[in-house]
Amino acid sequence: MSEAPLLNATAITKTYGSQIGCENISLDIHEGEVLAIVGESGSGKTTLLNCLAQRLPMTAGRVSYRMRDGTTRDLAGLTEAERRFLMRTDWGFVHQNPADGLRIRVSAGANIGERLMAIGDRHYGQIRETAHDWLSRVEIPGVRIDDRPTAFSGGMRQRLQIARNLVTNPRLVFMDEPTGGLDVSVQARLLDLLRGLVDQLALAAIVVTHDLAVARLLSHRMIVMKGGRVIETGLTDRVLDDPRHPYTQLLVASILEV
Amino acid sequence: MYVAVKGGEAAIANAHRLLDDRRRGDRSVPVLTLDQITQQLALAVDRVMAEGSLYDPELAAMAVKQARGDLIEAIFLLRAYRTTLPRFAASKPIDTGAMKIERRISATYKDLPGGQLLGPTFDYTHRLIEPDMADDRPVPEPERRSCDRHESAPRVTDILGADAMIEPDGEGTPEREPADLTRSPRTFPADRDARLQALARGDEGFLLALGYSTQRGYGRTHPFVGEIRIGEVEVEIELPELGFPVAIGRVKVTECQMISQFKGSKSEPPQFTRGYGLVFGQSERKAMSMSLVDRALRAEEFDEERVSPAQDEEFVLAHSDNVQATGFVEHLKLPHYVDFQAELELLRRMRSEQQYEDAHKEAAQ
Amino acid sequence: MNATLPAYNFAYLDEQTKRMIRRAILKAVAIPGYQVPFASREMPMPYGWGTGGVQVTASVIGPDDILKVIDQGSDDTTNAVSIRAFFARVANVAVTTKTVEATVIQTRHRIPETPLSEGQILVYQVPIPEPLRFLEPRETETRIMHALEEYGLMHVKLYEDIAQNGHIATTYAYPVKVEGRYVMDPSPIPKFDNPKMDDCPALQLFGAGREQRIYAIPPHTRIESLDFEDHPFRVQEFDRPCGLCGATDVYLDEIVTDDRGGRLFACSDTDYCEERRERAA
């Protein structure tokens, strides 16, 4: 890709006291590209995701981002207001547990409309129409628009969380184990939906997962982490079909055994 | 013809006159003297001084009498008086190590310098109502022993501190006066001095419930009662003209030091941590609850997960003051005609719209 | 026993405290709608009963002022009587029930029907100053939300009202935006009174004692009630005139006159109602 990356991370390190969360990690992500971060629990993949998404202060390193106006900014230099604005317009964050990313006590419609209202939309009818549209895009029946997420199944909640994030047409979405905690059949449907949306919207995404099948289905490129470090990186098909690092080979083999 | 309500002024005056009458009760019964209250209801007076934040037994007794024994009302009276008093100085920190001890117990050491002194305690009494209370039977004088003036009773935490087994006492911030919630607005996050002040003034029942909740798993701190001591301490102030501290009086206080869950880190060896409680007068229940809650509120400091009410500074500090709480709860009895009318109007409108819609639906069918 | 009773300063508060409160008021006037923390004193009336309003009034009132105190629009409700008596006692100021005569009006839950004029001060008693409180209980978070003008959540609440009830279900303490910047709680006045705050020639001061906040609307400030373009803010409408004075564009109290469903609707602003009746007589 010739274009400048959408997001660039350089030498990111996060330590917790004497413990290492992740160490000296650099990566680029381009517009429309999906990057999977895989590894077992404790490998530092979620720490890395939270550092990239500015949800966790880094110990060292730097993350820069090409804003909608074309300028590339060091994210550490954003004001709190700019940071929050970025997070609710050009970015999305999908939590593993939908309850963490939803307002569980307000209706599905309000959950989707919140970002729109936060950036100044003041037409109830239009907000509602957009919410309807997004419900159908994530395959939730329109009649559920006034129901609260508490009345939804786990899969529906996760789809609602995705709709709530995508309503402002973000260019980059962070996902933390988006299919974790769901039944296998529900997972398949969600993955299918995600793949469609990412394609349609030309979204860039950084997906943390321990599930190689998720990486295979969604991502173009992947990085494999162990003990807070990147041990292998490459195109997803290449890494999964021809793993080079012994640990990746083990990971891939163990998945095949299952 | 309806006439708008009038006569509020007269009604209030009459209500207050009736209140005076009920407070005095049967005139043939002798009126309570303040001495009777300070002497025989001393723990009520202590509580009013503690939560009223003013050490003045006579005024507290007057407040108890005026409030007809309603202690929160008495605390309120004392507070409203206290707020008008000028401030001359901030005292030096009191030295509880030099306390003239009336009671002192430790749950962590069987015996220790200065000994365990049970003092005047309800502990180990059988809670049987004594028939003697119905009249005025003579009460024998207490046992006395002469004490060696120089016999020291070091604080348990100082004993542990000598071995560095417990975190050191904070140094405080000598360069500035301690926080005063009654003179500057509450801010979050609060410093520990402001937190301790809020707890020392806080409602005994509220702190008791919160302290209890930490024992039942809502923010557990694995506490031991290092020591409880009750007695009198000197209050000293520094006069700039003199250059040395001068004692201005003595106050009775209850101090409780909880020895809690230990912590270590890369730079620090594991040590016990502290929860601190100090209240005016004699009140172990309050001092112990306070020290449990103080320790729970320090969760952030020790990197503990903050998930329980007792660990939530905003929750605890915003709701611990019983004068604030009682005012706001009881203000619900003030007239709310206007707001209620607004709600009633909306409700009626929504119901009539619904009836209209229902009627339409029926007509359409 | 020698507890000497203190002599109280003019208007109860000591001068130092008054200066502290005046500084807070000046700051509040300089940043309309912003909640200024102040070291609220313990007052001789309970928290929640107007201690904030009383402290503000005590700090701005002078010996030449004429004070009016209303609660629910009426001068004769118990709390209004009590507060008026307090100031008559500790400040010895002239008191009135007439809106036009008063220089300082302390109120709970209403704005007088008679339009206010330049030079008057309206002091509101405020129970919960934070308009975001029931959406976000944490002070640390709501302060950030105000600082960053993050008010989307307010509209989520209004959206939810319309979705569930077909209406914005807030009827009193209806949030407003002050001069296009801060979202403010106007205290629990009925939304009927909200338009009176806009471009008002009088100075409006808000005191919350228990919550230790003061805020202000300087004269002629733009006040907008939050709404949606397609669900505009509307005030309550009564389908009948006042049963006593016949006024039509006023807020009415509903008075139960018997146990057979008899109702009388009369002005909640008793001074306004009496004036009209006197003029008619």
Side-chain angles (χ1 to χ4, degrees):
Chain A
M1 270 176 247
S2 59
E3 223 184 327
L6 187 58
L7 179 139
N8 163 271
T10 308
I12 293 182
T13 296
K14 171 72 187 175
T15 55
Y16 301 95
S18 57
Q19 288 202 314
I20 292 169
C22 61
E23 194 171 27
N24 197 25
I25 294 175
S26 300
L27 58 86
D28 278 347
I29 183 150
H30 289 80
E31 236 164 289
E33 184 187 30
V34 179
L35 174 73
I37 305 175
V38 303
E40 49 195 9
S41 64
S43 62
K45 57 190 192 302
T46 296
T47 297
L48 174 61
L49 185 79
N50 284 326
C51 286
L52 293 172
Q54 305 295 295
R55 300 165 59 86
L56 202 60
M58 296 176 288
T59 312
R62 136 192 179 115
V63 181
S64 57
Y65 183 74
R66 186 154 48 78
M67 311 294 271
R68 279 190 183 180
D69 66 4
T71 59
T72 296
R73 301 277 305 269
D74 178 350
L75 295 183
L78 295 188
T79 62
E80 177 70 10
E82 287 173 322
R83 191 183 68 86
R84 287 191 177 209
F85 186 77
L86 177 68
M87 289 179 100
R88 62 173 180 240
T89 52
D90 211 21
W91 283 9
F93 196 103
V94 176
H95 297 262
Q96 173 173 5
N97 178 1
D100 295 338
L102 291 171
R103 285 195 192 280
I104 218 77
R105 273 181 227 88
V106 305
S107 67
N111 262 291
I112 298 176
E114 179 172 353
R115 279 182 162 219
L116 298 173
M117 292 183 260
I119 56 175
D121 279 19
R122 291 292 177 265
H123 193 285
Y124 175 82
Q126 284 165 10
I127 293 166
R128 203 164 163 81
E129 206 174 301
T130 310
H132 247 295
D133 179 42
W134 270 103
L135 283 177
S136 77
R137 292 174 81 165
V138 297
E139 299 166 13
I140 295 174
V143 294
R144 307 295 304 267
I145 191 166
D146 292 332
D147 293 349
R148 295 178 175 188
T150 42
F152 286 7
S153 69
M156 271 170 87
R157 284 191 201 180
Q158 197 53 295
R159 297 203 300 276
L160 180 62
Q161 190 192 185
I162 290 163
R164 170 180 158 90
N165 271 282
L166 297 186
V167 67
T168 51
N169 298 310
R171 290 184 301 162
L172 175 61
V173 179
F174 301 89
M175 301 186 204
D176 186 7
E177 303 275 10
T179 58
L182 297 177
D183 294 344
V184 177
S185 62
V186 179
Q187 275 188 23
R189 183 176 171 196
L190 185 73
L191 276 175
D192 208 37
L193 177 82
L194 268 176
R195 195 156 64 152
L197 287 171
V198 163
D199 249 17
Q200 266 171 43
L201 304 167
L203 277 178
I206 301 178
V207 185
V208 157
T209 180
H210 68 280
D211 184 346
L212 296 184
V214 170
R216 165 91 78 187
L217 267 168
L218 280 183
S219 70
H220 305 116
R221 268 194 314 133
M222 61 187 280
I223 63 178
V224 182
M225 289 183 70
K226 182 174 189 296
R229 292 163 179 273
V230 173
I231 53 163
E232 182 155 3
T233 167
L235 293 175
T236 301
D237 291 342
R238 201 280 297 153
V239 173
L240 292 180
D241 296 340
D242 178 21
R244 307 218 169 130
H245 192 282
Y247 176 75
T248 316
Q249 288 166 359
L250 202 70
L251 267 188
V252 172
S254 67
I255 224 41
L256 293 178
E257 279 165 23
V258 174
Chain B
M1 171 71 190
Y2 173 80
V3 183
V5 198
K6 274 278 176 192
E9 222 146 323
I12 292 176
N14 286 336
H16 292 170
R17 206 168 138 183
L18 185 58
L19 174 68
D20 280 343
D21 173 81
R22 294 295 192 266
R23 176 181 52 71
R24 178 60 185 86
D26 185 346
R27 309 293 198 276
S28 66
V29 175
V31 74
L32 270 175
T33 67
L34 297 187
D35 285 344
Q36 285 171 344
I37 297 171
T38 51
Q39 294 300 310
Q40 296 172 41
L41 296 176
L43 298 186
V45 169
D46 281 356
R47 179 168 177 201
V48 171
M49 294 194 299
E51 291 169 35
S53 298
L54 185 70
Y55 197 90
D56 189 325
E58 281 80 21
L59 270 183
M62 277 168 80
V64 170
K65 184 174 169 183
Q66 184 178 331
R68 307 176 66 192
D70 177 340
L71 295 189
I72 292 183
E73 180 68 24
I75 290 161
F76 185 10
L77 286 169
L78 205 62
R79 291 260 196 104
Y81 171 68
R82 176 192 191 274
T83 192
T84 66
L85 299 176
R87 261 122 241 268
F88 297 116
S91 78
K92 310 247 318 157
I94 57 171
D95 180 4
T96 52
M99 176 186 281
K100 291 185 69 170
I101 291 171
E102 186 169 49
R103 168 168 166 80
R104 186 265 197 129
I105 53 163
S106 168
T108 51
Y109 291 105
K110 186 173 179 185
D111 201 4
L112 66 173
Q116 306 251 20
L117 297 168
L118 291 187
T121 177
F122 290 120
D123 298 352
Y124 330 111
T125 62
H126 299 135
R127 269 61 169 203
L128 305 170
I129 293 181
E130 296 284 351
D132 288 6
M133 289 300 132
D135 43 43
D136 185 12
R137 299 276 171 80
V139 176
E141 288 296 314
E143 274 304 316
R144 287 177 190 280
R145 77 174 165 104
S146 60
C147 78
D148 177 0
R149 279 189 76 78
H150 301 291
E151 186 182 0
S152 80
R155 304 193 308 173
V156 168
T157 47
D158 295 338
I159 298 171
L160 276 169
D163 301 337
M165 294 300 284
I166 192 165
E167 57 165 335
D169 242 339
E171 280 302 305
T173 43
E175 67 280 5
R176 68 166 174 89
E177 284 192 3
D180 185 353
L181 295 167
T182 67
R183 295 283 132 167
S184 47
R186 179 170 75 211
T187 52
F188 297 111
D191 290 331
R192 191 163 172 220
D193 52 353
R195 277 202 319 240
L196 287 170
Q197 183 194 14
L199 297 179
R201 287 159 58 87
D203 183 72
E204 181 174 313
F206 181 72
L207 295 184
L208 175 65
L210 280 177
Y212 177 45
S213 74
T214 67
Q215 291 180 283
R216 294 193 63 261
Y218 291 87
R220 191 151 174 238
T221 60
H222 305 272
F224 298 95
V225 170
E227 184 177 14
I228 294 168
R229 53 172 63 202
I230 304 175
E232 290 190 337
V233 291
E234 300 227 299
V235 178
E236 295 179 328
I237 58 169
E238 200 119 41
L239 294 177
E241 300 82 29
L242 292 178
F244 55 85
V246 185
I248 54 166
R250 275 207 293 259
V251 295
K252 185 183 217 182
V253 295
T254 303
E255 180 186 61
C256 173
Q257 295 231 49
M258 252 352 139
I259 300 174
S260 307
Q261 194 157 16
F262 55 81
K263 275 280 159 194
S265 70
K266 229 185 347 171
S267 52
E268 306 267 338
Q271 284 181 318
F272 286 117
T273 56
R274 298 172 188 244
Y276 189 73
L278 183 84
V279 290
F280 277 156
Q282 174 173 351
S283 179
E284 272 164 48
R285 187 185 301 124
K286 168 81 181 275
M288 292 174 75
S289 305
M290 175 174 168
S291 57
L292 287 172
V293 177
D294 170 50
R295 177 59 187 81
L297 286 174
R298 298 178 66 200
E300 195 98 309
E301 218 179 298
F302 298 118
D303 221 6
E304 293 162 345
E305 208 187 355
R306 259 184 21 174
V307 286
S308 302
Q311 299 168 311
D312 184 333
E313 174 180 288
E314 283 204 33
F315 179 80
V316 174
L317 265 55
H319 301 112
S320 60
D321 190 299
N322 54 23
V323 176
Q324 285 175 6
T326 198
F328 202 50
V329 167
E330 294 195 37
H331 107 286
L332 290 173
K333 65 194 168 191
L334 289 180
H336 283 81
Y337 321 135
V338 165
D339 301 346
F340 182 70
Q341 191 62 42
E343 295 282 79
L344 202 57
E345 189 264 351
L346 176 66
L347 199 61
R348 282 189 182 131
R349 190 144 49 88
M350 280 163 51
R351 288 176 67 118
S352 76
E353 281 171 6
Q354 198 172 24
Q355 274 167 7
Y356 178 80
E357 271 170 35
D358 291 350
H360 256 263
K361 263 185 228 152
E362 261 169 49
Q365 278 164 3
Chain C
M1 194 67 31
N2 57 353
T4 43
L5 284 176
Y8 291 106
N9 191 30
F10 176 79
Y12 181 77
L13 296 175
D14 58 282
E15 291 304 313
Q16 228 181 335
T17 298
K18 284 189 205 168
R19 277 197 289 274
M20 177 271 292
I21 294 173
R22 284 179 202 138
R23 278 196 294 273
I25 292 172
L26 286 175
K27 183 168 179 183
V29 169
I31 317 171
Y34 171 75
Q35 300 166 48
V36 182
F38 82 112
S40 176
R41 296 292 188 253
E42 320 231 41
M43 297 299 282
M45 59 271 294
Y47 284 111
W49 297 50
T51 55
V54 168
Q55 289 179 77
V56 169
T57 298
S59 303
V60 298
I61 205 164
D64 302 330
D65 273 309
I66 303 170
L67 176 70
K68 171 182 166 80
V69 184
I70 51 172
D71 183 354
Q72 315 293 304
S74 163
D75 299 89
D76 209 46
T77 38
T78 45
N79 200 42
V81 168
S82 161
I83 291 172
R84 192 165 56 235
F86 175 74
F87 280 110
R89 177 171 165 192
V90 299
N92 194 27
V93 290
V95 294
T96 183
T97 58
K98 298 201 187 316
T99 301
V100 288
E101 281 177 5
T103 56
V104 178
I105 303 172
Q106 179 167 332
T107 181
R108 180 169 169 264
H109 295 194
R110 274 312 308 275
I111 299 175
E113 304 290 2
T114 309
L116 301 176
S117 54
E118 208 169 301
Q120 288 184 308
I121 300 177
L122 183 62
V123 178
Y124 297 77
Q125 301 173 198
V126 182
I128 304 272
E130 179 49 74
L132 303 165
R133 180 60 68 237
F134 299 106
L135 302 167
E136 170 55 62
R138 265 168 214 295
E139 181 75 28
T140 37
E141 187 57 26
T142 53
R143 286 187 80 81
I144 294 173
M145 291 163 82
H146 281 295
L148 301 178
E149 279 190 84
E150 229 173 62
Y151 294 132
L153 210 49
M154 253 359 292
H155 272 87
V156 170
K157 155 87 172 62
L158 300 182
Y159 171 97
E160 206 60 357
D161 275 1
I162 301 172
Q164 309 292 337
N165 303 310
H167 287 276
I168 294 177
T170 305
T171 57
Y172 59 92
Y174 191 105
V176 296
K177 197 159 211 184
V178 182
E179 202 63 33
R181 177 57 179 88
Y182 284 98
V183 166
M184 185 194 96
D185 182 319
S187 89
I189 57 172
K191 65 178 181 176
F192 180 88
D193 286 340
N194 274 22
K196 296 177 186 165
M197 291 188 286
D198 182 39
D199 196 29
C200 175
L203 170 63
Q204 302 173 72
L205 302 176
F206 298 78
R210 195 176 38 79
E211 301 277 344
Q212 309 183 317
R213 294 290 183 274
I214 285 174
Y215 51 101
I217 304 175
H220 302 293
T221 299
R222 182 161 48 95
I223 301 294
E224 300 152 282
S225 302
L226 301 185
D227 61 1
F228 286 105
E229 287 157 23
D230 50 341
H231 283 260
F233 172 79
R234 277 182 24 210
V235 300
Q236 288 103 340
E237 282 165 21
F238 293 88
D239 54 5
R240 71 199 92 191
C242 167
L244 298 178
C245 75
T248 51
D249 46 359
V250 295
Y251 195 79
L252 301 178
D253 274 346
E254 177 174 342
I255 294 146
V256 181
T257 51
D258 56 42
D259 57 3
R260 298 178 305 278
R263 297 278 193 278
L264 172 77
F265 286 81
C267 289
S268 118
D269 184 338
T270 50
D271 166 63
Y272 184 78
C273 194
E274 274 163 35
E275 292 268 303
R276 280 178 53 90
R277 277 179 286 154
E278 273 167 30
R279 244 180 294 141

